Amino acid sequence: MSRLEHVHFIGIGGSGMSAIAKVMVEMGYRVSGSDIQEHEITKQLQTQGVKFYSSHQAENVQGADIVVYSSGIPEDNVELISANQKEIPLLHRSEALAQLLNQKEGIAVTGAHGKTTTSSMISLMLSRAGLDPTFVIGGEILDFGYNAKAGASEYVIAEADESDGSFLQYFPKHAIITNIEADHLENYKGDFENLKEAYLQFVHQIKPQGTLIYCQDDPINQELISRKEIQEILLERKIEILSYAIDSENSNIRAKNLLLSNRSVQCQVWDREQLLGELCLNVPGKHNLLNALASICLGLKLHVPFHLMQEALKGFVGAKRRFQVVSEARDILIVDDYAHHPTEIMATIEAAKSTGRKMYVVFQPQRYTRTYFLLEAFSHAFAEADQVIIANIYSPAGEVPIKGVSGSELACKIEKNSNKNTIFVPNYKEIVDYLIQSTCPGDLILTMGAGDIWKVAYQLKEYYHNIE
């Protein structure tokens, strides 16, 4: 890639693709890209000099030295076909990111949950410490106002996505595994053991004399790290193992004396038997505290003073769509979150309960396959909500519906198994109307899902701000 001049991105408006494009522009490459519509991300890229095409056309790839595409681009895309015909080298998004990360001191964050927040915390922390990292994040870091940046140092921070196996493109110096759960099994032949094997391979790819950081509270993490083959490879390659936890007493870094309050967390941070100091987060929930502990583990490895980590993490306001406060007009708190897995949903609802408000949860399932594999777990994930509203399944183009898997079926299962106050409302306008009629000052509306359910939160924001 060092010899390339012009890189073209098919589907440049996606969060992952736009992040890589932004970094490559800042590194001096000539960048172009196409997408089916122009929006805020593509407008920002254009201000940086990116040539943007608002439709997919074969001629868009003309003159490109390399073409980058994502998993969402179908094989019959005209630009993909044109690049093949012109024999222009093609790179999957993960391969392009791997080119950036593998050649430097890569920091890869993987796991079922917490990748974006942990990567964002690390990026902010190292930036505040003056280490000037390059970072490529799947979601916008609200503290910066963007999701990627080309830094001057050797550090490159990125999310390593296990969902499609693309994290096996990375050979990091430092790796963090937040947690491991049975998700995205459609990409692992429906077998959790295959997903575990992929994580084992990822550990094998950490560079010699590197670092493996993992959450010791996670039982699957514990199971994999304790395997003889992993212990042998880590010892042979002189890879340091660091753990963090809230509950496990023998971890390297542990939080004690927790105080969970309205949209914040306070605790003491201990390095084995040594008290490092107090930590205050202005993002809620134990899950965010675990993300912060992972960041602290890495910071200590990189010799970042604890007081600088304290300051950076206290100022961290979150990543976009990660318990993002959208509005507080008329004392109705509207929060949007990306949670789309049962564990994430329960963690987000637990964090929301710290507000003390009556909670209306609006959830949009994503993909028929995920809903099928996790239907039973989903049905038990909403017990702590006061009111649950389930929308239609958000499905990418081309996914074949599965008989018996639907938003209405999920609502019935939740009502039966965990929360009687559950309804199915397929239409966004009907959801908005229902919430306007049902909620009162002092209530909380929480929209959740990996699709476009965030639109409900912003429609409500517009309504409440207009009547203030």
Side-chain angles (χ1 to χ4, degrees):
M1 289 180 69
S2 60
R3 296 190 299 272
L4 300 175
E5 293 183 356
H6 179 190
V7 183
H8 179 78
F9 288 78
I10 307 175
I12 197 170
S15 58
M17 293 282 276
S18 62
I20 300 171
K22 181 178 186 296
V23 166
M24 296 195 75
V25 168
E26 293 171 355
M27 292 174 67
Y29 292 97
R30 185 156 58 94
V31 174
S32 63
S34 60
D35 218 309
I36 55 175
Q37 62 181 5
E38 187 175 25
H39 46 75
E40 194 59 39
I41 290 176
T42 58
K43 289 178 182 177
Q44 289 176 1
L45 289 172
Q46 288 177 76
T47 65
Q48 291 187 273
V50 172
K51 173 66 176 176
F52 175 70
Y53 302 96
S54 58
S55 63
H56 295 303
Q57 303 291 336
E59 57 267 25
N60 292 349
V61 304
Q62 185 67 40
D65 297 295
I66 197 165
V67 171
V68 181
Y69 67 99
S70 70
S71 299
I73 301 301
E75 293 181 1
D76 61 355
N77 178 276
V78 292
E79 293 182 24
L80 207 58
I81 293 171
S82 179
N84 271 314
Q85 291 173 342
K86 297 178 187 297
E87 298 185 343
I88 302 172
L90 289 163
L91 281 184
H92 185 269
R93 178 194 62 79
S94 61
E95 294 174 309
L97 180 53
Q99 292 278 345
L100 301 174
L101 185 138
N102 294 346
Q103 295 175 21
K104 294 195 175 186
E105 189 159 342
I107 300 166
V109 181
T110 192
H113 323 296
K115 293 186 292 290
T116 297
T117 300
T118 304
S119 302
S120 300
M121 286 178 168
I122 292 169
S123 301
L124 180 65
M125 195 174 69
L126 297 193
S127 297
R128 294 287 189 265
L131 298 182
D132 196 17
T134 294
F135 56 85
V136 182
I137 312 297
E140 179 185 320
I141 306 174
L142 298 176
D143 303 80
F144 291 128
Y146 45 81
N147 63 341
K149 173 182 174 292
S153 74
E154 286 296 301
Y155 298 115
V156 178
I157 305 158
E159 296 178 53
D161 188 2
E162 85 295 346
S163 67
D164 58 0
S166 61
F167 69 150
L168 297 182
Q169 300 287 344
Y170 307 129
F171 291 79
K173 184 64 177 291
H174 311 285
I176 296 173
I177 304 179
T178 58
N179 39 60
I180 301 173
E181 288 200 19
D183 196 7
H184 307 288
L185 294 185
E186 68 275 10
N187 295 320
Y188 292 91
K189 299 180 180 179
D191 190 341
F192 190 22
E193 291 303 315
N194 291 336
L195 177 58
K196 291 179 184 179
E197 288 299 318
Y199 275 103
L200 288 174
Q201 179 59 42
F202 177 74
V203 172
H204 277 72
Q205 293 176 187
I206 300 172
K207 290 179 179 178
Q209 299 181 328
T211 315
L212 171 61
I213 297 170
Y214 73 100
C215 178
Q216 199 164 25
D217 286 342
D218 183 72
I220 308 301
N221 260 341
Q222 281 278 62
E223 174 201 329
L224 293 189
I225 302 303
S226 63
R227 289 190 185 184
K228 184 179 178 181
E229 62 179 293
I230 288 295
Q231 291 295 319
E232 288 177 349
I233 193 70
L234 294 176
L235 181 63
E236 176 188 333
R237 306 185 75 177
K238 298 180 180 179
I239 294 170
E240 184 177 7
I241 310 173
L242 297 174
S243 61
Y244 62 93
I246 294 173
D247 299 323
S248 301
E249 295 183 359
N250 61 342
S251 60
N252 294 91
I253 298 298
R254 188 181 178 201
K256 297 182 182 180
N257 300 321
L258 275 63
L259 177 61
L260 305 175
S261 55
N262 185 6
R263 290 149 61 181
S264 67
V265 182
Q266 295 180 49
C267 69
Q268 292 177 331
V269 178
W270 290 74
D271 184 351
R272 295 294 187 182
E273 301 303 318
Q274 178 188 359
L275 174 62
L276 296 178
E278 301 286 333
L279 179 66
C280 178
L281 299 177
N282 286 306
V283 287
K286 288 183 179 180
H287 62 300
N288 277 320
L289 176 55
L290 286 170
N291 296 333
L293 294 178
S295 306
I296 289 170
C297 265
L298 178 69
L300 292 173
K301 175 65 181 179
L302 301 182
H303 307 293
V304 177
F306 183 71
H307 72 90
L308 292 180
M309 293 191 278
Q310 282 176 304
E311 293 171 12
L313 292 171
K314 183 176 182 179
F316 180 74
V317 297
K320 192 170 185 178
R321 299 215 64 216
R322 272 66 179 181
F323 210 87
Q324 182 184 358
V325 175
V326 174
S327 171
E328 295 185 69
R330 297 179 63 82
D331 193 28
I332 295 176
L333 179 63
I334 302 174
V335 174
D336 180 51
D337 197 277
Y338 190 71
H340 57 285
H341 183 279
T343 301
E344 294 172 339
I345 291 165
M346 288 187 287
T348 304
I349 289 175
E350 180 186 17
K353 282 181 70 67
S354 69
T355 65
R357 293 169 177 255
K358 183 178 180 180
M359 190 192 321
Y360 290 77
V361 172
V362 183
F363 177 63
Q364 177 190 52
Q366 186 210 26
R367 294 182 177 272
Y368 289 99
T369 49
R370 171 181 283 118
T371 309
Y372 170 76
F373 281 117
L374 299 174
L375 188 61
E376 188 66 23
F378 275 130
S379 75
H380 294 277
F382 297 86
E384 297 301 314
D386 295 293
Q387 173 72 63
V388 181
I389 301 165
I390 302 297
N392 269 326
I393 292 175
Y394 181 89
S395 177
E399 188 187 22
V400 179
I402 299 174
K403 185 177 180 180
V405 178
S406 65
S408 60
E409 176 62 22
L410 175 58
C412 290
K413 293 276 286 185
I414 295 169
E415 183 181 17
K416 177 182 176 182
N417 292 344
S418 65
N419 196 317
K420 294 181 179 180
N421 298 318
T422 301
I423 58 174
F424 171 65
V425 185
N427 181 278
Y428 283 6
K429 183 180 184 303
E430 292 176 8
I431 293 174
V432 171
D433 289 344
Y434 175 83
L435 290 169
I436 289 172
Q437 295 168 15
S438 303
T439 54
C440 302
D443 290 346
L444 164 65
I445 298 171
L446 175 59
T447 56
M448 287 193 294
D452 60 359
I453 195 65
W454 55 267
K455 292 178 180 178
V456 168
Y458 285 88
Q459 288 172 22
L460 287 165
K461 174 185 178 180
E462 182 178 4
Y463 172 81
Y464 287 122
H465 279 260
N466 286 340
I467 64 173
E468 267 203 322

